[in-house]
Amino acid sequence: MSTIVPLSIRKAGEQLRARSLSATQLVTQAIATADRLDRELNVFAARTDSTRLLEITGQIDRRLDAGDEVGPLAGIPLTIKDIFGTHDLPTTASSKVLAGHQTGVDAVAVSRLRSAGGVVMGKSQTHEFAYGPTTNNDYAGPSRNPWNPNHVPGGSSGGSAIAIATGICMGATGSDTGGSIRTPSALCGISGLKPTYGLVSKRGALSLAWSLDTAGPMSRSVDDLAFLLEAMAGFDAEDPGSVKVTLPRYSEVVSQSPERLRIGVPAHYYLEGVDEEVRAAFESSLDLLRALGHSIETMVLPHLKYALGAELAILAAEASAYHRDRMRARADDFSSNVRRELDAGMSVLATDYLLGQRVRRLICKDFAEVFTKVDMLVTPTVPIVAPGIGESTVTINGVKVQALDALWRNVFPTNLSGSPTLCLPNGFSGSRLPISLQLIGRNFDEATLLRLGVQLQKYTDWHQRTPPGA
């Protein structure tokens, strides 16, 4: 394993500026890893030409040699989920429907990452149109979990998660409508952040369900997430969902360990139907939190029992409305599972959609009330480890359940509430598949989530482990 792969963004930046490492070295290593693993794991929908990448890094190295100021992500290899527009690569949502589609411009989040100096390695595979939690794809083929290629990487940001876990890149964009940053981060053993709804502009990215969609970063460590979020976050007057708030310097505040926090465990929902190994890892994380001086108490969010119906009604109706014209013109070109979901969404009644939004308001109120009593909530990210590719059911503690239901059960509620949600690895199963912890915070208080995540990763090394062959 190369000594370059496990570097953090912070350490890489320090070495680049000290000139003990060059941007060309860093990206050359990333290119070699991509060449070796892309086809086996199905990471990329499109890749930036290697000659062009070396031209970009050569310019960065010359600026560093001259002592010029460069951005905080200068020379850092990044991957962009294939729903974010890019001026130089196709944006296809891993779909036959958009094969060869060119936006000609960068999405705002991509533009901000490039302005910070990030080097875009390519466009990562997604579950088609980001509509699914596995990144199994009729058109592009299944993407594969780097810890065991016979298992799913999670979705819909599966390609981004694989690229980070294997060291192809150090950061990536993801989108999260029902857990699509957190599910693949959890199953691939990396860190991921769904920011507060409205913190990161979605302009220039393809939508799934506009009132739930959130753009955010994925990386190996929580400290890395702080650098990526700092570049991506900020008000965008042309994005109707964007919110203007005062932003901290996330890369600086994460170095400050949080004061004693009151942490809630909503056991009545999030711990129901959790695999024994996942629960054991969760209990170990609670023990660590207590040892660090934080208090733990059980909390109740009474309306979560209605959350699934609300999420399904809202997501299905908005997704089908967004894709209505494409379905009329090219329905046969959609993957079978996505077409089935879009067909079902066409049958959602306006009354169902509005009832879903009413329930959503009740759930938002539940979260707001809980955060008057505690500083954050902690749960398992996903109640199972990665299922096998094509595995439709899984057995949890002797009970057979639908794999798709298990994959998104614990993640989608904060898409309804809009709450910022961080996930980070907290163990491995006996089969050597990653397990993950989820932290949920107050709206626009990403700083506290990141600070606690960094504190936890000072005392654990799960995030430093790399898959076999990476």
Side-chain angles (χ1 to χ4, degrees), residues 22 32 53 187 286 316 319 323 341 343 353 366 372 394-395 402 406 460:
S22 72
L53 288 172
L187 301 193
L286 293 183
H323 287 288
E341 296 294 340
D343 280 337
Y353 179 78
D366 285 350
T372 66
V394 294
T395 301
Q402 292 296 312
T460 61

Side-chain angles (χ1 to χ4, degrees), residues 214-425:
T214 310
M218 303 165 69
S219 61
R220 183 177 297 279
S221 72
V222 177
D223 191 67
D224 288 351
L225 289 175
F227 281 87
L228 298 167
L229 182 64
E230 192 169 291
M232 295 171 71
F235 180 65
D236 176 13
E238 296 185 54
D239 176 359
S242 186
V243 179
K244 184 180 289 187
V245 293
T246 301
L247 301 177
R249 290 289 300 274
Y250 296 110
S251 63
E252 294 179 359
V253 301
V254 293
S255 62
Q256 307 159 12
S257 292
E259 301 294 331
R260 182 177 183 273
L261 297 172
R262 301 168 301 161
I263 297 176
V265 177
H268 74 290
Y269 175 88
Y270 286 96
L271 294 183
E272 295 169 359
V274 173
D275 177 82
E276 290 180 0
E277 290 181 301
V278 175
R279 182 181 286 271
F282 179 69
E283 294 296 338
S284 294
S285 294
L286 293 183
D287 290 341
L288 177 55
L289 288 166
R290 292 187 187 98
L292 292 171
H294 307 298
S295 65
I296 307 293
E297 55 188 291
T298 301
M299 306 303 299
V300 175
L301 293 104
H303 293 98
L304 281 187
K305 59 187 175 183
Y306 307 117
L308 179 60
E311 173 82 7
L312 290 174
I314 295 167
L315 193 159
E318 292 184 359
S320 295
Y322 181 76
H323 287 288
R324 182 179 61 175
D325 291 344
R326 293 190 184 102
M327 282 285 285
R328 285 174 173 170
R330 302 186 60 180
D332 290 342
D333 289 336
F334 283 87
S335 292
S336 58
N337 62 338
V338 174
R339 178 176 176 177
R340 182 171 60 250
E341 296 294 340
L342 292 172
D343 280 337
M346 297 293 183
S347 301
V348 175
L349 300 176
T351 50
D352 297 331
Y353 179 78
L354 294 173
L355 285 171
Q357 293 288 10
R358 289 181 66 183
V359 170
R360 182 182 195 173
R361 286 195 292 273
L362 294 174
I363 291 169
C364 289
K365 184 179 179 182
D366 285 350
F367 276 94
E369 289 181 355
V370 160
F371 288 127
T372 66
K373 302 170 185 175
V374 296
D375 298 303
M376 69 177 61
L377 299 171
V378 60
T379 79
T381 306
V382 179
I384 58 171
V385 296
I389 292 174
E391 189 176 5
S392 61
T393 62
V394 294
T395 301
I396 304 176
N397 306 328
V399 179
K400 186 175 288 189
V401 299
Q402 292 296 312
L404 299 185
D405 293 344
L407 286 176
W408 79 324
R409 173 184 173 83
N410 279 12
V411 287
F412 77 80
T414 56
N415 292 99
L416 290 170
S417 68
S419 310
T421 314
L422 169 70
C423 70
L424 61 156

Side-chain angles (χ1 to χ4, degrees), residues 5 26-27 29-38 41 43-44 47 76-79 119 121-122 159-160 162-171 220 470:
V5 171
L26 195 58
V27 171
Q29 173 66 41
I31 293 170
T33 306
D35 288 344
R36 182 164 52 88
L37 296 177
D38 180 19
L41 300 177
V43 183
F44 287 103
R47 287 176 60 182
I76 301 299
L78 305 176
T79 298
V119 180
M121 302 293 299
S160 292
I162 300 166
I164 294 162
T166 55
I168 291 172
C169 68
M170 300 175 74
R220 183 177 297 279

